[in-house]
């Protein structure tokens, strides 16, 4: 298969800290800090390359932070085709506390100029011709129109390249109008799309079916400790996570998306695809560094995931 293309419109350097607890309005001293190349699409690219997939990555990078991210991806064998920006790529803070809470402080990122946007669209169009699957992930940088994912999805459809979308808010709401092949909202994101609270498990499944019926081939809903729901033409599946101690949940959703991309390449059944996605996501949560899957842990968890086919 051709390369998998990941698109990250607002990447970031994730400075991940550990501490005992975080108290608002007080001095909080950190125990450790790790600097990680991040942003949802960057995370997906890292995982795919870790599993031996050929990956190209595009989006916007600028300044010292951008150079750091590009260097980390290149070390992993990812083809970097980012557009260089005048503005500095953002840096985020992920604070992992011993009490189980993860606090994220996210910068807005640079404002993308019209010239940079035009260059990116040309780059994206050229890359589509060389790739067999495209994954659009994360938030939209300032200066880009909120419905840019619609344009990117439609271009992929025109080139007959399958396209996944993993975003949130208005970017997701706009993006689903173009009917990507797969979306992966969490429950809160699904509620935003549907427009009301989903009070129970059945309501989540009903909402996923609604989106599937609108023309989205595969709807994957991530539910944290409750596992994953998948709705596709193969049916409705629920994968339940094994008992693990979560250290850092950042990147778990990206692990699901990367796993589904690999399952698509391998032609796996939906039952096997959701099982592997659940195992990789759970394994990701066991380490402080996001999107660096402990592969032995993932393999061990694979045999402990419970997958149930639900009759709707």
């Amino acid at each position: 298969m051709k390369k998998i293309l990941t698109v990250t419109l607002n990447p970031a350097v994730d400075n991940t800290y550990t501490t005992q607890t975080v108290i608002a309005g007080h001095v909080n001293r950190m125990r450790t800090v790790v600097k990680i190349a991040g942003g949802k699409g960057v995370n997906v690219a890292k995982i795919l390359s870790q599993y031996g997939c050929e990956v190209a990555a595009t989006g916007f990078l600028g300044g010292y932070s951008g150079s750091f991210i590009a260097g980390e991806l290149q070390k992993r064998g990812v083809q970097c085709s980012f557009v260089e920006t005048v503005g500095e790529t953002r840096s985020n803070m992920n604070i992992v506390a011993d009490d189980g809470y993860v606090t994220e402080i996210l910068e807005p990122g640079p404002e993308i100029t019209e010239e940079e946007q035009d260059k990116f669209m040309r780059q994206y169009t050229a890359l589509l011709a060389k790739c067999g699957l495209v994954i659009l992930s994360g938030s939209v940088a300032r200066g880009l129109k909120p419905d840019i994912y619609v344009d990117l999805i439609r271009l992929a459809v025109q080139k007959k390249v399958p396209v996944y979308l993993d975003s949130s808010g208005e970017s997701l709401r706009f993006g689903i109008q173009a009917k990507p092949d797969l979306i992966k909202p969490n429950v809160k994101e699904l509620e935003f799309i549907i427009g009301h609270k989903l009070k129970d498990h059945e309501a989540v499944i009903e909402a996923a079916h609604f989106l599937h019926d609108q023309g989205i081939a595969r709807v994957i809903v991530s539910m944290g400790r409750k596992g994953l729901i998948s709705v596709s033409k193969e049916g409705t599946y629920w994968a339940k996570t094994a008992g693990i101690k979560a250290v850092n949940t950042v990147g778990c959703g990206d692990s699901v998306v990367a796993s589904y991309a690999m399952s698509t390449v391998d032609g796996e059944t939906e039952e096997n695809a959701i099982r592997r996605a659940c195992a990789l996501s759970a394994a990701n949560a066991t380490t402080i560094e996001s999107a660096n899957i402990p592969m032995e842990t993932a393999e061990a968890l694979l045999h402990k995931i419970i997958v149930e086919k639900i009759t709707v």
Side-chain angles (χ1 to χ4, degrees):
M1 182 180 176
K2 295 179 180 178
K3 289 180 182 177
I4 298 172
L5 175 62
T6 67
V7 178
T8 315
L9 298 179
N10 201 16
V13 173
D14 289 333
N15 296 297
T16 302
Y17 301 86
T18 61
T19 188
Q20 183 174 3
T21 188
V22 177
I23 305 174
H26 289 71
V27 173
N28 292 274
R29 300 190 184 279
M30 301 296 106
R31 185 166 57 238
T32 62
V33 60
V34 179
K35 189 175 180 181
I36 303 168
K40 294 180 72 61
V42 169
N43 286 341
V44 173
K46 287 160 58 179
I47 295 166
L48 290 173
S49 65
Q50 183 182 351
Y51 276 84
C53 298
E54 283 195 81
V55 190
T58 189
F60 300 97
L61 289 177
Y64 174 79
S65 295
S67 297
F68 172 78
I69 292 172
E72 289 296 299
L73 288 175
Q74 287 165 351
K75 281 194 294 188
R76 292 168 168 80
V78 175
Q79 173 193 327
C80 287
S81 299
F82 289 87
V83 171
E84 186 174 353
T85 60
V86 174
E88 176 88 14
T89 294
R90 63 188 178 140
S91 293
N92 295 332
M93 296 174 63
N94 302 320
I95 306 173
V96 182
D98 294 343
D99 56 16
Y101 287 102
V102 178
T103 301
E104 296 185 72
I105 301 173
L106 310 180
E107 292 184 5
E111 183 148 355
I112 307 301
T113 67
E114 287 188 19
E115 182 181 353
E116 291 162 354
Q117 293 179 49
D118 291 343
K119 187 174 181 180
F120 165 75
M121 293 303 294
R122 292 193 299 271
Q123 181 85 289
Y124 175 74
T125 303
L127 286 165
L128 280 178
K130 304 173 184 176
C131 294
L133 173 67
V134 59
I135 300 170
L136 312 173
S137 300
S139 62
V140 172
R142 292 185 298 164
L144 300 176
K145 58 181 186 176
D147 63 347
I148 187 172
Y149 281 139
V150 173
D151 295 341
L152 301 184
I153 293 166
R154 287 175 178 166
L155 276 170
V157 171
Q158 288 173 13
K159 300 288 186 181
K160 295 182 170 51
V161 179
V163 56
Y164 293 2
L165 174 64
D166 182 20
S167 189
S168 59
E170 292 298 330
S171 299
L172 177 59
R173 194 201 295 276
F174 280 120
I176 61 176
Q177 296 173 10
K179 306 295 188 292
D181 294 275
L182 178 149
I183 61 171
K184 193 223 59 66
N186 60 31
V187 175
K188 286 185 178 180
E189 290 160 354
L190 187 58
E191 289 174 340
F192 180 83
I193 299 170
I194 299 299
H196 60 79
K197 189 79 174 173
L198 301 173
K199 61 181 179 179
D200 54 28
H201 192 69
E202 288 71 25
V204 170
I205 294 173
E206 183 179 342
H209 270 274
F210 172 79
L211 293 175
H212 175 62
D213 293 341
Q214 299 303 303
I216 298 172
R218 188 177 265 165
V219 180
I220 313 298
V221 184
S222 54
M223 303 182 295
R225 293 181 181 275
K226 295 181 180 178
L228 300 172
I229 290 289
S230 167
V231 175
S232 71
K233 66 180 181 180
E234 292 189 43
T236 302
Y237 287 86
W238 179 15
K240 305 169 189 178
T241 56
I244 61 164
K245 182 180 180 182
V247 175
N248 182 11
T249 57
V250 174
C252 287
D254 307 322
S255 304
V256 172
V257 174
S259 184
Y260 262 94
M262 291 187 285
S263 292
T264 296
V265 171
D266 294 341
E268 290 186 335
T269 64
E270 187 60 32
E271 180 176 348
N272 287 340
I274 196 171
R275 185 187 305 278
R276 176 155 73 165
C278 199
L280 262 66
S281 179
N284 177 80
T286 65
T287 65
I288 192 65
E289 183 176 349
S290 58
N292 185 12
I293 307 296
M295 297 174 77
E296 289 185 4
T297 301
E299 188 63 28
L301 287 171
L302 190 63
H303 306 290
K304 299 178 181 179
I305 301 298
I306 298 171
V307 179
E308 176 184 353
K309 188 170 185 179
I310 298 171
T311 303
V312 179

